[in-house]
Amino acid sequence: MSADLTDLSAGGERRATTLADLMTPSSIAIVGASDDPTRIGGRPLMHMLKLGFPGDVYAVNPTRDTVQGLPAYPSLSDVPGPVDFVLIAVPAKAVPGVMREAAAKGAKTALIFSSNFAEASAEGAALQAEVAEIARVGAVRVIGPNCLGLFDAGHNFYPTFTSTVERARPRAGGIAIASQSGAYGSHIFIVSHERGLGIRYWLTTGNEVDVQVAEAIRLMAEDESVHTIMAYAESIKDGPGLIEALEVARAERKPVVFMKVGRSEVGAEAANSHTASLAGEDAVYDEVLRAHGAYRARTTEEMLDVAYAARPRIYPAGRRLGLVTISGGAGVLMADAAADHGLDVAPMPEAAQAELKELVPFASPRNPVDVTAQFFNDLSIVPRFTKAMLDEGRYDGLIGFWTGVAGSPQLSPPLLAGLSEAMAGRENLFIQSLVAKPEVQAEYEAAGFPCFEDPSRAIAAMAALMFFGEAFAATPPVVAPLAEAPALPEGAVNEHAATALMRKAGIPAPRSEVVENARMAQHFANALDCSLAMKIVSADIAHKTDLGGVALNVDPEDAPRVFDEIMARVREKAPRAGLEGVMIAPMAGPGIDCILGSRTDPVFGPVVAFGLGGIFAEAIGDVALRRAPFDERVAGEMIRALKGRSVLEGARGAEGADLEALASVIARFSQLVAAWGDAVESVEINPLRAGPDGCLALDALIVRKEGA
Amino acid sequence: MSADLTDLSAGGERRATTLADLMTPSSIAIVGASDDPTRIGGRPLMHMLKLGFPGDVYAVNPTRDTVQGLPAYPSLSDVPGPVDFVLIAVPAKAVPGVMREAAAKGAKTALIFSSNFAEASAEGAALQAEVAEIARVGAVRVIGPNCLGLFDAGHNFYPTFTSTVERARPRAGGIAIASQSGAYGSHIFIVSHERGLGIRYWLTTGNEVDVQVAEAIRLMAEDESVHTIMAYAESIKDGPGLIEALEVARAERKPVVFMKVGRSEVGAEAANSHTASLAGEDAVYDEVLRAHGAYRARTTEEMLDVAYAARPRIYPAGRRLGLVTISGGAGVLMADAAADHGLDVAPMPEAAQAELKELVPFASPRNPVDVTAQFFNDLSIVPRFTKAMLDEGRYDGLIGFWTGVAGSPQLSPPLLAGLSEAMAGRENLFIQSLVAKPEVQAEYEAAGFPCFEDPSRAIAAMAALMFFGEAFAATPPVVAPLAEAPALPEGAVNEHAATALMRKAGIPAPRSEVVENARMAQHFANALDCSLAMKIVSADIAHKTDLGGVALNVDPEDAPRVFDEIMARVREKAPRAGLEGVMIAPMAGPGIDCILGSRTDPVFGPVVAFGLGGIFAEAIGDVALRRAPFDERVAGEMIRALKGRSVLEGARGAEGADLEALASVIARFSQLVAAWGDAVESVEINPLRAGPDGCLALDALIVRKEGA
């Protein structure tokens, strides 16, 4: 099923859709329109009549003459004029028929509220596939089924049965919301509205038979009235589509704040039982969102905070944060929070500190800059300190802590005037932490200052905007899969063959040979003429050491004897295992053992993981992850991302690894597995010995994809 | 200085103070009273006149006849009646004189607003010490100096110059706030007030010459009108005092929500420059607060959330969480958040699931329990599902997600009635996530349901209350320091002596001997008659292996030769090192190398850290920390707290360690270092080899405290 549906959204012509094509029609027909404005088929009509949708509205209901005062047509085909948009609120079984009519009518979009499709049963899934096929053939874009609808507040277009738009009439603004979940999407809308955010577009995608959250993000990013995008999803089916959408948003400098839920085991289980679509591995989502410039929010509050703080559309391109406060305690607290978010609370230059100290002897001019209660006596302190922080401190962003002072009728006006004076002609982001009535806060907002009551939330929002600043400034690197990737042999790949493939792909690995008898062992050992490692080769044996199948530091002249011993031990302990022989290779030099692996994520394709060997990767989870392919720069990032990186860098006087060689091998590996793509399930080099003069793949494992 | 001050707060008679003694007087004199109600010396008087403090109020001001309509006395001694409480708002230099008068007047408490004490200069520190001495001799408790004051809203007692109480007249409730920071304490008060919390007591401690946050917590815990305590501190001087306070609160079942700031390096620096008191190590605060049942909040919002959710005073004694939702998406999100907080979203029993499924076929009855939009059609679903979750699911706490439905005039009343019906006669904590007007939310609160708009915050608050439930149910273990702890020798302790001390203390360590010549080596090797480890003994050499000072797996008959080789190698490479000889010990058996160490925290005394050896402890920071002394149960917790615990438990078929023996050694070590107490700076066993049949201290290091 999913292959079909993916094709749909990836199809050529169908991609030409704009957001306006999809959700700003000039006419709508509601099939299953109800006279009762509290019913699913009645509410959208009521919204549009009440709020004044300017286009044509047709009600389709075979059992009535009129619906909510409009003439009712017995079927969609009976509607006289052209119909851009068809809203379908009839039982699942009747949906295919309506879809055929919609296609015949030349509708651009069909929105299906109805449930009882793939989320409910196998029968429903078949029905859903039928809907998909009709849509594809008829070139009708489909939203849903099993969704709550959408709105375009700019055109008073409200094909949704959520009751929230009644209590909270959307004010058009620069924000767009794309949500897989209807009820939770509705929650996001209402809390955004109460927060004062202007939501222009709201789109719920439900079962995503055609339009998915990923595509919605792309269309929103391409729409010029949208500045900021909030997205919520439990699963992503079209990984490349999501990446494309995020890159469009990045190119347009539009922040995408993304809640991908189902992070935990119980959460993923719940998502699965809820939407019947398996989530990919969470760490991969984390990485994909980060790498493509989307901010992953963990809570709805955080998502709203970021969207709200993005209102001035200033995205600082660095992480240097200046803090100015009337409370030393708040300064400490904000410095802690900044450290949690990886921001740099760098001190003011010494000279500037001395100047400020002269201005206010009690002040702490370092950063956090504590202007103290002295500010109450001399209101000029705020603009002077702020200017010094911008001119001398050269911070990428500022946060001010004023608590209830900003709510004081006497002190607030001069404070705001001072802040505004300092910022005149500047383009820096300055977030204020203050406690004031909404109307007072609105004055600060109008002057370009996002406001937070809680200083920790101000810091978190600043960190997110700095993330966007860095992401928008970064050029997405284009790295190709390995052109000269060696072909995979047919059938199973043993360790010897896997290691040889690595060598062919340009990843250093010891030259080895599989020998089948003592004479061959002698011959190859003589040729190598160095200390040897000897290992049993058998597809049936996972833990070679446990069965006595490994010998290390073997003298070349002992090779035939050791060959016989290994074969005898393994035959005795694993009499039924098929033995292909013994692999002989030179002993590797000293180094730090790492694990370099890839697996093919069902959503995002090959993903490379790198970590230290031993129990680090497994027990501690100290692993860096990137989508393949990538270059040495990204590989270097992966090395530095490890908590245990000091081991590779050379901890406590011990010799470290050749990090350049290591990065080069990691990058090349990523290009290799990208070239192999779907043909493999996973590839693992374990250990990859990272020595002081380069690194060596001592063992490799390639698991072919079943059927590939 | 600090020793003096600590003595003060620990003094016998002075400990008898109650919160009422300290901050609910029947009379107050304001020294430095101002006629201008906006000035520091005028504001408290204005507050108390306006808000009606029922006790006697005296104004002291030598330059005026009246102050704000009251007669002014030239000095405190001139005040006619008795004075319980003296508020001092005069320049620092004049404070000692006023303090002497206060003592002569028999005042119980002196509150000092004045700054320019220890936070400003050495001169100020001397002045502060003088104040402390006068207070001690005169038996006057001192709050401040350099603080913003306090209030007791139950008696309209407002000796504070914060302007926030004008804009937000405190409503007396069951919450008390203790804050080292004045300005931030003021912020905490105002945001609590706006949140609807009733703050009965508010106390800022400033420079803490006498009353510290720790003591304030104890007094608040002992006060029967207080239910919940919020605390904010940048540093704690009296560690044992804090622990005592937290244990009083635990015994009284009163939650303490604690913000200890200065967690990060920059934050700690800022705290230091701000209050001139060095913070102890942050991980130790984390552990002390956790171990003694206080919840450490990272943000003010979190602190308020927990205090707010504690209003019903229900502290679930387990971590099983039931989630009921009208949005599958919210269920997934809440399950994720619950996993982040270590809560157990256990599934409903199969039979109960089947029953619910019969009730609502579309529902997901597993947990999260998704009642779906079906609830709109049949309002009885909510009470029936809720009852099933309590009776069959036996969850320790429940969270419901209703979003804007609870704000709907049609749906909210039956929803609330259904929830109340289900909870009738039960004592379970049920938090609601909803979006509704304040007056509607108040109805839910009045019915005993704490309400949060953001579901993630609801989960976090539930996790905190479950933490309190577990902490209140736990009996604090009483463990004594090791009675038969071996005495520390005079002077430096070499490796051999340190290991021998461990053996004497009952911690298994190999029997070793330091030999000074080849003949002695032969003799001792013969006596041991097993494979040997030999190591150079020298106080001047840190990295023995690098200098060739270590030989392992030595055959006893080779011992004299190896002795000579070691001595020769080390003499050649480190000709100026003083060599005491070579230590000979039996080779230890196989096992997993761990690090077991202690250091004496300046605030909280000996603290034990346990981690895996190699780079785990250092590079990864995978270390468990507990205050010494403790028992085997706590030691077992430490082992299980490690991310790398699977190595000790036996990962991937490898043999694990004897965990019982390991826990026993860790506990004994904690009792040993507790017995040594301040005499040592740090003790380290590295490696502690944890084998399958017990563990062995292979090397030990004892660093004596300078001067101890």
Side-chain angles (χ1 to χ4, degrees), chain A residues 401-408 434-437 453, chain B residues 151 162-171 177 182-197 199 202 230 300 304:
Chain A
F401 179 83
W402 317 106
T403 181
V405 165
S408 148
L434 48 78
V435 182
K437 292 206 167 67
E453 189 177 279
Chain B
F151 68 68
T162 177
S163 64
T164 50
V165 296
E166 281 159 61
R167 292 201 300 286
R169 180 175 177 172
R171 62 182 88 76
I177 298 173
Y184 206 76
S186 192
H187 176 74
I188 295 170
F189 161 66
I190 197 164
V191 290
S192 300
H193 182 86
E194 305 231 316
R195 182 74 179 270
L197 302 181
I199 310 300
W202 178 80
M230 293 197 270
T300 309
L304 265 58

Side-chain angles (χ1 to χ4, degrees), chain A residues 536-558:
Chain A
I536 195 79
V537 177
S538 165
D540 302 327
I541 296 174
H543 297 289
K544 302 181 175 86
T545 309
D546 299 353
L547 300 182
V550 178
L552 301 176
N553 296 309
V554 179
D555 201 277
E557 65 199 37
D558 295 338

